[in-house]
Amino acid sequence: MRLHAPLDDRTAWSPVGHCPIEKAIAVVGSRPAMLIMREAHYGTRRFDDFVTRVGVAPATASTHLRALTDAGLLERQPYQDEGARTRDEYALSPAGADLMPVVIGLFSWGMKHTDGVDDLEFAHVGCAEPVDLRVACAAGHEVGEQDVEVRLRRGRPRRRVRA
Amino acid sequence: MRLHAPLDDRTAWSPVGHCPIEKAIAVVGSRPAMLIMREAHYGTRRFDDFVTRVGVAPATASTHLRALTDAGLLERQPYQDEGARTRDEYALSPAGADLMPVVIGLFSWGMKHTDGVDDLEFAHVGCAEPVDLRVACAAGHEVGEQDVEVRLRRGRPRRRVRA
DNA sequence: CAGGATCCCTAAGGATACTG
DNA sequence: CAGTATCCTTAGGGATCCTG
């Protein structure tokens, strides 16, 4: 990976404060937040399940579930078990689902580069073949670390998403 | 995303403690660590550049550069400017380069779902087309959040990487 | 320039207990 | 079950100063 001119002039340009990675980290950069998102991707929706399966204190779960909901990654949805009052569960929003590549990326990296007892993998439900991430350009070329550069976006500025 | 049987029995199975994502987070889960890895991908190699461009205190940079080196994501390489003594710089190791999908994933998510002034994108050096992540199976099918499941790996256990 | 050592300080998270 | 409230503890990180 490299930086395209004029970004490669690092005396003039620094990502500090205006980097999308920093902003993403501000939302899902903590351990509880990321693990809650993992669980949400695994289909977990209820408070107590998050507490148990993530392994955090209720207060921590509460804080982060709220923050992730406020940030738009989770959506509160009412449900009602028979004989019980209505409660809320936390479902993945579209923005939360968009985090899937990051979840898979961390998972794959951990499987490959850390030691452990895990023998897990992702699979395509349709054809049962293993699933992996690919980094590719719009022309379809698969690219490695050496073949990518960061550049200023051309043309019209991207559409702003209203909060 | 879903969990394949028997993993979907969450009373019997929990990822707590043996999840590759947890282990990945233990290494790059902090803000400074992830931003240092971002910088390493951008080509930054020298201590002071990390301090400046990540925006952390020297002590913090020192701590995390050491931890990332110990974890095998960075490699210390001696260099010598003319008239100065030899010093070390920190280069991306293969394991560090393997983190590229995560870096790109966080970047893309941040660009799409957070507000900001940034107009950056990744491009393929070869053909200048924009680069993005794709989630695909071995058969080549591109898959979305609904089409992925986590299952126990079949066949021979994966090769262990010696430390 | 490339760090190590110290101090300090705050925010994050665990434990526990309680409520609707 | 789904939280909230309170307390407590610690690790992370900033600031500052110092060294090779």
Side-chain angles (χ1 to χ4, degrees):
Chain A
M1 196 138 59
R2 66 183 84 167
L3 296 169
H4 185 269
L7 297 178
D8 61 348
D9 180 6
R10 300 304 237 101
T11 63
W13 180 79
S14 160
V16 174
H18 52 271
C19 167
I21 297 182
E22 286 196 32
K23 290 170 189 165
I25 287 177
V27 180
V28 292
S30 74
R31 177 188 146 91
M34 183 58 81
L35 295 184
I36 283 174
M37 291 311 296
R38 174 201 68 188
E39 276 308 316
H41 278 268
Y42 285 177
T44 298
R45 300 182 155 225
R46 301 197 177 178
F47 186 88
D48 230 48
D49 289 332
F50 280 111
V51 170
T52 305
R53 324 228 259 229
V54 171
V56 292
T60 305
S62 179
T63 302
H64 287 278
L65 285 171
R66 174 181 302 278
L68 290 167
T69 303
D70 290 346
L73 305 205
L74 299 176
E75 283 168 356
R76 220 163 268 159
Q77 290 177 354
Y79 75 97
Q80 184 161 24
D81 283 344
E82 55 178 51
R85 71 168 218 271
T86 72
R87 302 178 187 281
D88 283 330
E89 57 185 7
Y90 302 86
L92 222 44
S93 74
D98 273 353
L99 209 66
M100 183 178 62
V102 174
V103 173
I104 294 183
L106 286 171
F107 188 100
S108 299
W109 190 89
M111 281 291 290
K112 183 172 178 185
H113 294 289
T114 68
D115 212 12
V117 294
D118 29 56
D119 271 317
L120 304 172
E121 67 181 358
F122 292 96
H124 182 197
V125 172
C127 71
E129 289 293 317
V131 159
D132 209 349
L133 284 178
R134 298 179 185 186
V135 183
C137 75
H141 305 123
E142 195 143 348
V143 297
E145 214 275 327
Q146 302 298 327
D147 313 314
V148 184
E149 68 177 6
V150 181
R151 69 181 178 195
L152 287 170
R153 184 185 288 255
R154 302 281 180 173
R156 45 159 183 43
R158 73 193 182 88
R159 193 170 57 83
R160 287 275 176 258
V161 181
R162 294 276 305 155
Chain B
M1 192 137 55
R2 64 182 86 166
L3 294 168
H4 187 268
L7 297 179
D8 60 349
D9 179 6
R10 301 303 239 101
T11 63
W13 179 80
S14 160
V16 174
H18 51 272
C19 167
I21 297 181
E22 286 196 33
K23 291 170 188 166
I25 287 176
V27 179
V28 292
S30 74
R31 177 187 145 92
M34 183 58 81
L35 294 184
I36 283 175
M37 291 312 295
R38 174 202 68 189
E39 276 307 316
H41 277 269
Y42 285 176
T44 297
R45 300 182 154 224
R46 300 198 177 178
F47 186 88
D48 232 48
D49 288 334
F50 280 110
V51 170
T52 305
R53 323 227 259 229
V54 172
V56 292
T60 305
S62 179
T63 302
H64 287 278
L65 284 171
R66 175 181 300 278
L68 289 167
T69 302
D70 291 346
L73 305 204
L74 299 176
E75 284 168 356
R76 218 161 279 174
Q77 290 176 354
Y79 74 96
Q80 184 162 23
D81 283 345
E82 53 178 52
R85 71 171 219 271
T86 72
R87 302 177 186 283
D88 284 331
E89 56 184 7
Y90 302 86
L92 222 44
S93 74
D98 273 354
L99 210 65
M100 183 179 60
V102 174
V103 173
I104 294 183
L106 287 171
F107 187 100
S108 299
W109 191 89
M111 280 292 290
K112 183 171 178 186
H113 294 289
T114 68
D115 212 10
V117 295
D118 29 57
D119 272 316
L120 304 172
E121 68 181 359
F122 291 96
H124 182 196
V125 172
C127 71
E129 289 294 317
V131 160
D132 210 348
L133 286 176
R134 299 180 182 184
V135 183
C137 75
H141 305 122
E142 195 144 347
V143 298
E145 215 275 327
Q146 301 298 328
D147 313 315
V148 185
E149 68 178 7
V150 181
R151 70 181 178 194
L152 287 170
R153 183 184 289 254
R154 303 279 181 174
R156 45 158 182 45
R158 75 191 180 89
R159 193 171 57 82
R160 286 276 176 260
V161 181
R162 295 275 305 154

